[in-house]
Amino acid sequence: MTREECERRRAGRPRDPAKYAAIVAAARAAFFARGFHSATIDEIAQAAGVSKVTVYSRFGDKETLFEEVIRAESARMAAVFETGAADGQPLEAQLNEFGMALLGFKFSAEHLAVDRVLMNEIAQLPHLAHRFHAAGPAQCMGRLADVLAQANADGEIAVDDPALAAEDLCGLWTGLADLGVKLGLEPPPDAAAIRERVARGTRLFLKMVDRSAVDPR
């Protein structure tokens, strides 16, 4: 079944949120535990308590299901920003919350496992790299860039390119720890280490984009 056919079928029948959530949760567990290729629709359907036909009718193929899992993770991280904004937190606190969510996910055992497998599988399925990037990293960076753009418009910071500024901030948060963990040179940082790393990165970033430090000329 093509993705277009899947969309048409889904448009013609009411969604069952409980089944949808169960399928995505089962797929997340399977993909993160064994990687994209090793996980099967059969095991995902069984774990979700639905038929294989139900999985295919809702998602069309395994790649689309994988993309939905990544979208769900991205939405979870983006929700951290919404909560911070709703609570009236200052920009630094909002950025720290997002950084904690991002690095907590990035250095989780589940993500590290799927990340290692995915790098090998992307070489065989290059189009999967585009779908993964669009569904995950691009959405996260886009949301972060939106927040920085709004802060710039509100006069809190001064950035010439919010998208590049978002990349700068993520680089300060992550540093070389990401590479060290992937190469097995160091263990993933714990929650306390992540909190310290994020707070330091955010402080440095805000100093660099402090509007009062911009030369008025």
Side-chain angles (χ1 to χ4, degrees), residues 10 41 59 72 79 81 104 106 125 135 146 148 160 162 166 176 196:
R10 283 187 288 176
I41 294 296
F59 298 97
F81 256 141
K106 196 177 187 69
L125 295 169
D146 288 344
L148 295 178
D160 58 348
L176 289 178
E196 182 178 352

Side-chain angles (χ1 to χ4, degrees), residues 31-32 52 60-61 72 76 97 107 149 179 208:
F31 288 140
F32 282 20
K52 188 164 65 172
D61 53 42
R76 181 179 64 82
E97 289 284 352
F107 291 120
L179 180 61
M208 290 189 295

Side-chain angles (χ1 to χ4, degrees), residues 6-152:
C6 176
E7 291 295 333
R8 285 197 298 270
R9 289 193 63 176
R10 283 187 288 176
R13 63 174 64 184
R15 277 184 178 274
D16 183 336
K19 284 185 179 179
Y20 171 84
I23 293 170
V24 172
R28 181 186 186 276
F31 288 140
F32 282 20
R34 287 176 289 288
F36 177 77
H37 278 302
S38 297
T40 67
I41 294 296
D42 285 304
E43 67 174 305
I44 291 170
Q46 183 175 7
V50 301
S51 69
K52 188 164 65 172
V53 172
T54 297
V55 177
Y56 279 119
S57 69
R58 286 177 175 270
F59 298 97
D61 53 42
K62 191 163 71 168
E63 290 177 20
T64 301
L65 180 53
F66 176 80
E67 183 179 10
E68 191 64 18
V69 168
I70 299 302
R71 286 189 190 281
E73 291 298 324
S74 299
R76 181 179 64 82
M77 283 185 281
V80 174
F81 256 141
E82 303 301 335
T83 301
D87 293 341
Q89 293 190 52
L91 179 62
E92 182 174 1
Q94 291 185 53
L95 295 178
N96 283 337
E97 289 284 352
F98 188 85
M100 285 289 295
L102 178 63
L103 266 63
F105 171 70
K106 196 177 187 69
F107 291 120
S108 69
E110 292 176 326
H111 176 72
L112 289 171
V114 77
D115 193 43
R116 293 189 185 99
V117 176
L118 186 61
M119 291 304 101
N120 293 327
E121 294 169 345
I122 281 177
Q124 304 171 44
L125 295 169
H127 63 283
L128 189 60
H130 294 286
R131 295 176 71 170
F132 168 77
H133 183 266
Q139 280 199 24
C140 288
M141 289 299 96
R143 184 68 186 94
L144 181 56
D146 288 344
V147 172
L148 295 178
Q150 186 60 54
N152 182 70

